[in-house]
Amino acid sequence: MTNANISVEMAPSEAESIFQDVAFTKALRTQMLKFAKLQVRDSQLAEDAVQEAMLSAYQHIDRFARQAAFKTWVFSILKNKLIDLLRKEKRHTAASQLEEGPNLSGDALIEHLFEENGHWQQDERPKKWDQPDHDVENDDFWRIFDACLEALPAKYGRLFMMREFLEMDTPEICHNEEVSVSSLNVTLYRARLRLRECLEDHWFQKETS
Amino acid sequence: MMKCKQATQMLSEKLDRPLSNKEKINLAMHTAICSPCRQFGRQMETLRELSKSYTKAKEPEEK
């Protein structure tokens, strides 16, 4: 049948209107690109992944009449594309070869946070975070969150994002990145320590400090 | 007795692998008496939730 491919044109108009909403599409694209670039540190590859994800989404647009559902779905396509990219990229830059970053290959951060006896340094004790769920709606919060992610050493950021953003499991990350389970666990621990510290310093305790 | 340094690592690893019963008991004994580590544990969960909402967050307005 020659018209097998025209189902897109016959999609319900309310679904098509998702793509016709220029402001929505543009903002979504920007957000996807930012997300992709954080993980695949190559602008062209990131652009391609976003483009492909948008195209796949467009081809099945008739299933999505609501912008919110559409957005969740297009991001799940993008995540799969990024996982594929990271798998292919393995031989070039497995995390095992990435820099740990200054002051971090050693235990400088741990030493900074904890006393020699293994207890928290007085000033570094975690404080209560007020209403983090409210911050999800706050653009300023996400700017800080991005800055904190970008400040992570490359290896930490990559493994953290594989685990938390792409929701890959431990065995798969270890296999892909050629790191041992214990090394992955330690790296994730340190990434979270740093991220926690950064968010607390720059967001959650900002008013009171 | 487990120290904060080990406890925080356990609180992070808890998100990546199931802890053994022994680890769970030691961790519970530590957090029962250590409020900063209890905060830390909650914040680890928050970091996970925040990462999950990253792609659902309201995108910044393009001005």
Side-chain angles (χ1 to χ4, degrees), chain A residues 7-21:
Chain A
S7 60
V8 165
E9 289 158 42
M10 291 156 69
S13 56
E14 70 267 39
E16 277 205 329
S17 71
I18 293 176
F19 269 94
Q20 278 158 11
D21 182 341

Side-chain angles (χ1 to χ4, degrees), chain A residues 111-116 119-125:
Chain A
E111 275 170 30
H112 172 73
L113 295 176
F114 298 101
E115 307 263 10
E116 257 176 60
H119 289 289
W120 287 100
Q121 297 273 9
Q122 182 125 23
D123 305 345
E124 299 296 340
R125 287 179 192 158

Side-chain angles (χ1 to χ4, degrees), chain A residues 185-186 192, chain B residues 9-17 19:
Chain A
N185 287 342
V186 170
R192 290 179 183 129
Chain B
Q9 185 162 350
M10 285 292 120
L11 288 163
S12 165
E13 291 198 12
K14 210 173 116 179
L15 300 176
D16 305 313
R17 67 176 177 90
L19 299 183

